[in-house]
Amino acid sequence: MICPGAGRAAARWLGIALLAALPLGARRSAAQEGPGGAEGRQGPKEIADADAQQGLGAPAALPIRVASLSLDKTIVQLTVGFRDVVDGEISKKLLSGLPTVITMRGYLFHESGGNPVALAAKSCRIVYDLWDEVFRIQLIQAGSPSSTVAINVEGVLRNCAEARKLPLVERSLVRDGSRYFVAVLVEVNPMSAEMLDRIKRWVTRPPGSTAIGPGDSLFGSFVGLFVTRIGNADRKLAFRTQAFLPPAPPPSPPPPPQSPPSR
């Protein structure tokens, strides 16, 4: 005959053993799933962030996006699009009436490697005016800030998700015959307010003042974003341009005709 007290004690110990086994089983299940199993439960933002970090072994290893380079007098200019940084979720945030900031930084590298030669950047602050139903945009890039209005998301993309003839570097700072590329980092609502303010101060330097020197360690350290985890932001996009030779300067104008010697 089994004592009722002994039966209750055995049941209690069996329950404790089962509870202790549950976390272990869950840990085993997660470990057996591996990265592929965990990805199945990730939301679109987590997958996008993972994609953005996938190629960050080095700036040269980033996915390539075709850009165009041009020369305006003495300044090499960059034109490249990054509209895909604004997905459906970011579009909803744009329409919420809360401020949204999009920053773009492009680091100029020698194709052979080494430290960056120059940094070009732009910053866009967008607020949807719920009363007037327009987007109010504060754009800061190469020189002085400006303000504009967009009537739809397409206007926001045109102003804030493209770099059109963005001053990149003084032509005198790049060597003929050497190949270069630009590593680009785009972020939506990035970093701290203090860091964003520092970027704004860099962007408002005069055109042609984009060279990175020994005193610009703050911006030199940003290169670490391409080889480690990139900073917290609502969305990130990282890519590099194709390798290119510096745009050739225009030919020198012909000398003025000389008047015949007087007799």
Side-chain angles (χ1 to χ4, degrees):
M1 180 177 179
I2 299 174
C3 173
R8 287 194 297 271
R12 185 166 60 251
W13 281 110
L14 178 60
I16 293 172
L18 289 173
L19 287 172
L22 283 175
L24 179 61
R27 285 195 299 270
R28 282 178 181 167
S29 175
Q32 288 168 355
E33 283 181 1
E39 185 178 315
R41 295 193 303 274
Q42 288 180 327
K45 180 181 184 300
E46 287 78 7
I47 295 173
D49 289 350
D51 290 342
Q53 293 184 28
Q54 184 175 4
L56 298 186
L62 292 167
I64 294 177
R65 183 168 301 200
V66 176
S68 64
L69 284 297
S70 57
L71 186 64
D72 180 26
K73 297 179 181 177
T74 63
I75 305 293
V76 179
Q77 299 174 322
L78 171 70
T79 297
V80 67
F82 39 90
R83 289 179 168 223
D84 45 325
V85 78
V86 178
D87 59 5
E89 189 167 338
I90 298 301
S91 294
K92 291 179 185 177
K93 290 187 177 184
L94 287 171
L95 290 164
S96 70
L98 297 174
T100 299
V101 176
I102 300 176
T103 62
M104 171 264 183
R105 282 166 285 166
Y107 293 88
L108 179 67
F109 286 91
H110 288 280
E111 188 182 31
S112 58
N115 293 324
V117 176
L119 167 65
K122 66 179 292 183
S123 173
C124 228
R125 185 178 187 270
I126 310 116
V127 178
Y128 185 63
D129 188 324
L130 298 170
W131 182 262
D132 292 333
E133 297 184 334
V134 295
F135 295 94
R136 304 198 180 276
I137 299 171
Q138 295 177 347
L139 179 61
I140 302 176
Q141 64 178 8
S144 59
S146 61
S147 299
T148 188
V149 171
I151 61 173
N152 51 29
V153 174
E154 169 62 26
V156 173
L157 296 177
R158 191 166 54 250
N159 282 278
C160 301
E162 297 176 1
R164 295 192 302 273
K165 295 187 175 180
L166 183 68
L168 178 62
V169 66
E170 274 276 356
R171 179 61 176 81
S172 60
L173 295 177
V174 290
R175 298 194 300 265
D176 292 333
S178 293
R179 294 170 65 85
Y180 297 84
F181 70 91
V182 181
V184 178
L185 176 63
V186 184
E187 295 179 290
V188 180
N189 294 329
M191 301 172 292
S192 66
E194 179 186 3
M195 187 67 73
L196 187 57
D197 184 61
R198 292 180 182 180
I199 290 178
K200 289 178 180 178
R201 291 203 300 270
W202 174 272
V203 169
T204 52
R205 292 161 59 141
S209 303
T210 59
I212 297 178
D216 300 316
S217 58
L218 168 68
F219 292 95
S221 67
F222 280 169
V223 180
L225 297 175
F226 292 105
V227 295
T228 58
R229 282 185 60 86
I230 49 185
N232 291 327
D234 288 348
R235 185 165 168 81
K236 309 130 186 160
L237 188 64
F239 59 89
R240 55 157 289 185
T241 69
Q242 77 278 13
F244 58 86
L245 294 170
S252 301
Q258 295 182 350
S259 33
S262 58
R263 295 181 180 178

